Amino acid sequence: MSDLQSYFLCGIGGSGMLPLAMILQAQGHRVEGSDRALDQGRNAPKFDYLRNRGIVLHAQDGSGISSASQILVASTAVEETVPDIVAARKVGCRCTSRAEMLASLFNGSARPIGVAGTSGKSTVTGMIAWILHAAGQEPTVMNGAVMNNFTGADEPFASALVGCGGDFVSEVDESDGSIEYYNPTVAILTNISEDHKSMDELRTLFQDFLGRADQAVLNADNLETLQIRQGAAPEGHTWFSLVDDAADLYASNLAPAADGIAFTLQAKTGATVIPVELQVPGVHNVANALAAIGAAITCNISIEDATHFLGGFTGLHRRLEMVGTAYGVTVIDDFGHNPDKIAATLKTLHAFPGRLLVMFQPHGYGPLRNMRRGFVETFSTQLRSEDVLLMPEPVYYGGTTVKDISSRDITTALVANGIHAEAYNARADCGVRLISLAKPGDRIVIMGARDDTLADFARDLLYRIGP
């Protein structure tokens, strides 16, 4: 990686590709790219941002691939029939996956810090990034979400940081198995639950990931995480808990608020007790905070400094993000897309009064099929009698996906369980229905992943409700 290269990122606007592009460019490499969303006229501000940063964009028709000296980087979701891939094979480009490219940067750093788990990865990564940055350690950070602390007029898509320190913080993905590429010095495991893979596959992937680390920060409240390290020597491992006061980091006296949550932190070492106030709401964010504090301590930051800096963390884009309120109706935008994330969001919101009008857009036909049972169970147990769930069909941008399941399969099962759930073919129809249902005191919650236009949809709803 010491020699400057010419990289072409296929799908450059994706949540995992854009920050990688920023890191590669900041290191002096030439970066170009293409994206299906660009060709379809979607997400114009994101592509304007890339152009303004000096990145050359091409149509995804193979025209940007012209030399064997280019290195093509693509996500595992990009099919071999995409013209850029075909052109790269034709001219003899080296081809690599996004995960392999990121892993080479990560593994080559002085202290690679990997954040893994089914839920909470992006938030914990953002928390660690802010603590290390505030402590003056100038980390490089790769996040799958925009970090509010680092956004500004010139940085609306701050999902990456490039620092001159030796720390490289990155969330690592188990959904495609690419977690196996990463060799962390510090490994954080937030939790393990069913998502894109079977539990047996997940156990193996996470066990191996932890086995490659020198130090680990682990969730003692998650049964799977607890069992995966059962019997292991305690040296090098930091356990955090909201239940077990014998854990290395223990949170108690939780005091939820609509715009944050406070708690008392007890550290086993030195019997330190510290009051902590977060600007992000939800019990799940207390667990995320403990994970981040544990990681900061492994990076030689005092627990006092880590908790102080964490109080300044302002969250991530589309993570329980309040869009605004009009005529007494509040619109909230959230990334919830698997059962655990959805449950955490609904539990947080139900801690305060107000009916929930939820629109959940599945992030693909495959995930809908794989997590069908979990979706039905989660919405059946977490929605109240007065709540309403609307579901459009899964997001789909083309390709060979098998459409053998529908959102209606979920809502039919939910109705049988006594839940008010409705399915629609188009998202626009959900918008019309939400506006017709909304009354003062209601909270409209827009949920889903892999679709940047959901944020625009949420803002448009607020505008249509009124000033």
Side-chain angles (χ1 to χ4, degrees):
M1 295 304 299
S2 57
D3 297 330
L4 297 184
Q5 305 284 353
S6 177
Y7 291 99
F8 188 97
L9 275 59
C10 182
I12 195 169
S15 61
M17 290 292 248
L18 186 146
L20 179 60
M22 295 295 97
I23 292 172
L24 289 172
Q25 189 200 45
Q27 293 181 343
H29 302 289
R30 177 178 174 81
V31 180
E32 302 175 73
S34 67
D35 199 286
R36 183 160 47 194
L38 173 66
D39 296 349
Q40 295 172 348
R42 295 184 286 110
N43 306 333
K46 180 180 288 187
F47 297 112
D48 289 342
Y49 168 75
L50 289 168
R51 290 192 189 95
N52 291 338
R53 295 293 295 265
I55 292 176
V56 177
L57 300 179
H58 302 268
Q60 201 172 84
D61 58 4
S63 61
I65 306 294
S66 57
S67 170
S69 64
Q70 292 174 287
I71 299 173
L72 178 75
V73 184
S75 72
T76 53
V78 174
E79 299 168 322
E80 286 289 321
T81 54
V82 169
D84 288 340
I85 306 295
V86 174
R89 303 292 188 204
K90 185 175 182 179
V91 302
C93 282
R94 174 189 159 198
C95 297
T96 187
S97 70
R98 183 203 69 87
E100 289 171 321
M101 185 73 254
L102 174 59
S104 69
L105 300 173
F106 179 86
N107 295 338
S109 66
R111 182 162 52 193
I113 303 166
V115 183
T118 308
S119 302
K121 293 189 293 290
S122 297
T123 298
V124 173
T125 299
M127 287 177 166
I128 296 171
W130 179 244
I131 293 171
L132 296 181
H133 171 82
Q137 294 193 191
E138 299 190 52
T140 293
V141 180
M142 168 77 182
N143 204 334
V146 173
M147 299 174 284
N148 293 339
N149 285 94
F150 302 105
T151 58
D154 296 329
E155 288 291 342
F157 301 101
S159 53
L161 291 181
V162 182
C164 59
D167 295 325
F168 194 121
V169 187
S170 179
E171 59 172 299
V172 297
D173 191 8
E174 81 290 345
S175 66
D176 59 359
S178 61
I179 189 174
E180 66 184 8
Y181 300 144
Y182 298 85
N183 301 317
T185 296
V186 181
I188 297 94
L189 182 52
T190 60
N191 47 59
I192 305 173
S193 63
E194 190 173 19
D195 196 338
H196 297 85
K197 291 185 176 294
S198 71
M199 288 305 302
D200 285 342
E201 290 176 295
L202 291 174
R203 292 180 189 115
T204 299
L205 287 170
F206 288 126
Q207 176 72 66
D208 292 347
F209 174 70
L210 294 177
R212 295 191 295 274
D214 295 333
Q215 296 174 293
V217 181
L218 304 161
N219 183 357
D221 297 340
N222 180 255
L223 182 60
E224 286 289 342
T225 303
L226 195 62
Q227 290 179 342
I228 207 170
R229 296 301 297 178
Q230 195 170 38
E235 288 78 17
H237 304 312
T238 299
W239 293 93
F240 63 88
S241 175
L242 280 68
V243 177
D244 183 1
D245 61 6
D248 299 294
L249 297 171
Y250 169 63
S252 61
N253 303 320
L254 276 61
D259 57 354
I261 189 166
F263 63 95
T264 300
L265 172 64
Q266 179 178 319
K268 192 174 182 180
T269 303
T272 304
V273 177
I274 301 173
V276 182
E277 293 189 11
L278 301 179
Q279 296 186 54
V280 288
V283 173
H284 62 290
N285 275 320
V286 176
N288 291 336
L290 295 180
I293 292 167
I297 293 171
T298 68
C299 296
N300 303 314
I301 297 174
S302 71
I303 192 169
E304 292 82 8
D305 284 345
T307 52
H308 172 70
F309 295 141
L310 191 56
F313 175 71
T314 54
L316 305 179
H317 180 54
R318 297 210 65 237
R319 267 60 174 185
L320 262 176
E321 186 172 28
M322 190 171 78
V323 180
T325 300
Y327 291 116
V329 178
T330 298
V331 178
I332 297 164
D333 189 20
D334 188 66
F335 192 70
H337 63 280
N338 66 35
D340 272 4
K341 289 183 173 71
I342 291 168
T345 293
L346 296 179
K347 287 177 183 177
T348 298
L349 294 174
H350 274 144
F352 303 94
R355 180 175 67 156
L356 300 183
L357 305 177
V358 180
M359 191 203 79
F360 169 55
Q361 176 181 279
H363 61 293
Y365 287 91
L368 181 61
R369 185 186 313 110
N370 295 339
M371 291 182 275
R372 174 178 180 171
R373 183 178 60 184
F375 288 142
V376 172
E377 181 179 349
T378 297
F379 284 121
S380 294
T381 57
Q382 298 302 324
L383 289 175
R384 295 178 177 171
S385 58
E386 68 271 19
D387 297 334
V388 179
L389 172 68
L390 307 182
M391 288 182 62
E393 288 303 293
V395 62
Y396 175 70
Y397 298 128
T400 57
T401 299
V402 177
K403 299 181 182 180
D404 59 352
I405 190 169
S406 166
S407 289
R408 197 169 302 278
D409 294 321
I410 308 300
T411 59
T412 298
L414 290 171
V415 169
N417 289 344
I419 301 299
H420 185 162
E422 304 172 7
Y424 293 86
N425 291 330
R427 189 172 73 187
D429 295 330
C430 292
V432 173
R433 178 64 169 148
L434 285 168
I435 291 173
S436 72
L437 287 169
K439 299 176 182 178
D442 287 344
R443 291 163 296 170
I444 294 176
V445 188
I446 305 304
M447 283 185 171
R450 293 183 185 170
D451 184 354
D452 291 338
T453 66
L454 284 168
D456 298 327
F457 179 79
R459 285 192 293 269
D460 181 63
L461 277 180
L462 182 67
Y463 174 79
R464 289 161 62 188
I465 292 169

